[in-house]
Amino acid sequence: PMFKNLGFDGDSVASPIAWILATIVGIVYVLYTMRAIPFVASMQREISLLKLLGILTAIVGGIVEEVFFRRWIMDMLMLRGFAPMIQVAISGLAFGLAHTSWTLFTKRDIKVTLPAIISTSILGIALAIVYLAGGRNLGPCIFAHVLINVVIEPWLMLSAVSGMWRAEQARPAKRPRSA
């Protein structure tokens, strides 16, 4: 039953369009993040214990978050008679707010907080649409979420808590040449 609930059972596989949408969502969000936060892009070739831990937690985190934000929230709203658009909006906004709660504990200004809320809410909305396109199957959503987490985590979290957003912050400063 666990694999069926997660959308990976042979009888409940999501449609190809849901898998294609999930792949597009994952790739687009990764590319957007790397462009918006050069530090994340600059760390892609880094091999470390932090990255290994990030990859391991990416899988578990992607599953848990999709179960909560898609299966639990959206299905609860559906059972209460809310239209799919409302389910998508609430799920996406909750996802965005939850993923930017770290800004409440740091001294980040609105120039950092607002784009983080907007971008993660848009990602949450996109994943909610994938969930509906897949017939409320979590498989494609989990795939996209894990893809995103594996590629950009833990560097996104490190940039968030440290304030290192630019690529040059990822490397030690070059020593000035003596004349």
Side-chain angles (χ1 to χ4, degrees):
M2 180 179 90
F3 285 107
K4 185 173 185 174
N5 287 335
L6 296 179
F8 292 106
D9 182 77
D11 296 331
S12 65
V13 175
S15 67
I17 192 71
W19 290 99
I20 292 167
L21 281 172
T23 303
I24 292 168
V25 167
I27 291 170
V28 167
Y29 194 78
V30 164
L31 293 174
Y32 161 77
T33 301
M34 287 184 182
R35 183 153 194 228
I37 307 171
F39 174 79
V40 173
S42 71
M43 296 301 287
Q44 288 307 301
R45 291 196 176 118
E46 179 75 20
I47 297 174
S48 67
L49 182 58
L50 182 62
K51 188 165 189 170
L52 176 62
L53 291 172
I55 289 171
L56 295 174
T57 58
I59 297 167
V60 174
I63 293 169
V64 170
E65 289 180 15
E66 290 309 313
V67 167
F68 180 76
F69 290 105
R70 260 40 83 190
R71 171 75 37 92
W72 190 76
I73 289 178
M74 290 182 69
D75 288 4
M76 178 191 62
L77 292 169
M78 178 189 67
L79 292 172
R80 288 191 165 82
F82 287 89
M85 293 294 286
I86 301 297
Q87 297 169 37
V88 166
I90 291 173
S91 172
L93 186 58
F95 186 81
L97 291 172
H99 280 80
T100 53
S101 60
W102 58 268
T103 62
L104 299 174
F105 306 106
T106 63
K107 294 180 181 176
R108 304 289 175 244
D109 61 27
I110 195 72
K111 290 186 290 186
V112 173
T113 305
L114 192 57
I117 291 171
I118 292 169
S119 65
T120 52
S121 292
I122 291 170
L123 174 59
I125 288 168
L127 290 170
I129 292 168
V130 168
Y131 182 60
L132 293 179
R136 294 185 178 270
N137 185 302
L138 280 178
C141 298
I142 291 169
F143 168 74
H145 201 136
V146 169
L147 172 67
I148 291 165
N149 285 356
V150 165
V151 176
I152 65 175
E153 300 286 350
W155 311 121
L156 183 59
M157 292 300 289
L158 181 59
S159 70
V161 297
S162 69
M164 293 188 300
W165 302 101
R166 296 181 301 280
E168 63 272 9
Q169 292 173 317
R171 297 180 197 90
K174 292 182 181 179
R175 294 182 188 188
R177 293 185 202 179
S178 50

